[in-house]
């Protein structure tokens, strides 16, 4: 019964537009029986590239999962430092189909689900949070272009079943183009990152 919830876009570390998944589960009993779960009708076009720039790895990816409904495409660029201690992210919504342009700004949320053994605490500014690992290591997540909050989440991959967890969520709204920049960086004791 948790399978459909776990497959929703909001259950992953990505952007969700208008509280809607970028892919749709297809309710078809025969197909579900063949593959063991409802099949997904996903974005028609997905592009991803990985490049190295001065010792940093950069992943650039985009999809059109929201274009048919809202006219907006989602692009994400991630840059991982050579030490693995800093990730810079840019999430961008841009108008790809003007005929589908929203009539009013649509809410978006960028989710960062955290392992149940880690804790999160917002700094009170709406722009940063500290994630503390079980090992004591700390990571700072800071943001520009959205408001940050700590919210409830569910961790689905525990062998005992779903567990309560937390997530950091970056919220804003978009009419035709929006850009959110965020940085996740180690601030202390990061020898064990397995609980993030």
């Amino acid at each position: 019964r948790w399978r459909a919830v776990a497959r929703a876009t909001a259950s992953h570390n990505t952007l969700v537009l208008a509280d809607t998944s970028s892919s749709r589960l297809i309710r078809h009993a025969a197909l579900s029986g063949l593959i063991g779960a409802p099949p997904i009708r996903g974005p028609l076009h997905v592009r991803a590239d990985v490049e190295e720039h001065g010792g940093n790895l950069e992943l650039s990816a985009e999809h059109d999962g929201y274009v048919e409904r809202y006219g907006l495409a989602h692009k994400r660029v991630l840059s991982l430092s050579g030490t693995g201690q800093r990730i810079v992210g840019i999430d961008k919504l841009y108008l790809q189909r003007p005929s589908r342009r929203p009539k009013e700004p649509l809410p978006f949320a960028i989710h960062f689900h955290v392992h149940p053994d880690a804790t999160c605490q917002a700094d009170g500014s709406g722009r940063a949070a500290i994630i503390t690992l079980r090992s004591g290591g700390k990571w700072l997540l800071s943001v520009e272009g959205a408001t940050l909050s700590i919210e409830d989440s569910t961790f689905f991959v525990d062998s005992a079943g779903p567990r309560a967890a937390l997530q950091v969520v970056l919220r804003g709204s978009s009419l035709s183009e929006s850009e959110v920049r965020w940085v996740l960086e180690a601030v202390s004791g990061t020898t064990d990152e397995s609980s993030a």
Side-chain angles (χ1 to χ4, degrees), residues 3-4 21 26 38-39 54 62 66 73 82 98 100 102 109 115 118 135 148 177 183:
R3 191 171 290 164
S21 284
I26 303 169
E62 57 188 295
Y66 294 115
R100 297 278 186 180
H115 191 278
S135 66
L148 180 151
E177 186 165 316
V183 178

Side-chain angles (χ1 to χ4, degrees), residues 6 23 41 51 53 61-62 98-99 121 127 129 141 154 159 167 183-184 195:
S23 301
R41 178 178 293 130
E51 297 178 351
H53 298 284
E62 57 188 295
S99 63
Q121 184 171 357
R127 298 283 183 250
L141 177 63
T154 303
S159 59
Q167 62 179 315
V183 178
L184 179 64
S195 296

Side-chain angles (χ1 to χ4, degrees), residues 109-190:
I110 303 170
H111 299 263
F112 296 90
H113 297 274
V114 178
H115 191 278
D117 292 340
T119 61
C120 305
Q121 184 171 357
D123 74 347
S125 70
R127 298 283 183 250
I130 292 285
I131 300 168
T132 304
L133 310 184
R134 179 177 50 193
S135 66
K138 294 183 185 295
W139 290 76
L140 174 68
L141 177 63
S142 55
V143 62
E144 292 178 17
T147 301
L148 180 151
S149 62
I150 308 296
E151 301 178 14
D152 291 333
S153 179
T154 303
F155 182 72
F156 291 104
V157 295
D158 195 290
S159 59
R163 292 172 59 189
L166 294 173
Q167 62 179 315
V168 181
V169 183
L170 313 180
R171 295 191 181 277
S173 62
S174 184
L175 182 60
S176 60
E177 186 165 316
S178 295
E179 184 173 284
V180 177
R181 293 175 174 266
W182 50 268
V183 178
L184 179 64
E185 56 191 330
V187 290
S188 70
T190 58

Side-chain angles (χ1 to χ4, degrees), residues 24-150:
R24 299 180 188 183
L25 295 179
I26 303 169
R27 304 296 180 186
H28 191 287
L31 285 175
S32 295
L34 284 173
I35 64 173
I40 290 179
R41 178 178 293 130
L44 295 176
H45 299 96
V46 177
R47 185 191 64 77
D49 298 301
V50 177
E51 297 178 351
E52 186 174 348
H53 298 284
N56 296 338
L57 282 180
E58 183 174 287
L59 167 67
S60 176
E62 57 188 295
H63 70 83
D64 65 352
Y66 294 115
V67 170
E68 184 62 31
R69 286 169 281 179
Y70 306 117
L72 299 173
H74 175 218
K75 179 177 183 178
R76 172 173 275 184
V77 178
L78 299 174
S79 180
L80 175 66
S81 70
T83 64
Q85 303 292 295
R86 189 170 198 261
I87 300 172
V88 176
I90 301 172
D91 280 284
K92 183 176 181 178
L93 288 166
Y94 63 93
L95 191 63
Q96 193 175 71
R97 187 174 295 174
S99 63
R100 297 278 186 180
R101 181 186 177 121
K103 292 181 173 54
E104 58 187 43
L106 297 173
F108 65 78
I110 303 170
H111 299 263
F112 296 90
H113 297 274
V114 178
H115 191 278
D117 292 340
T119 61
C120 305
Q121 184 171 357
D123 74 347
S125 70
R127 298 283 183 250
I130 292 285
I131 300 168
T132 304
L133 310 184
R134 179 177 50 193
S135 66
K138 294 183 185 295
W139 290 76
L140 174 68
L141 177 63
S142 55
V143 62
E144 292 178 17
T147 301
L148 180 151
S149 62
I150 308 296

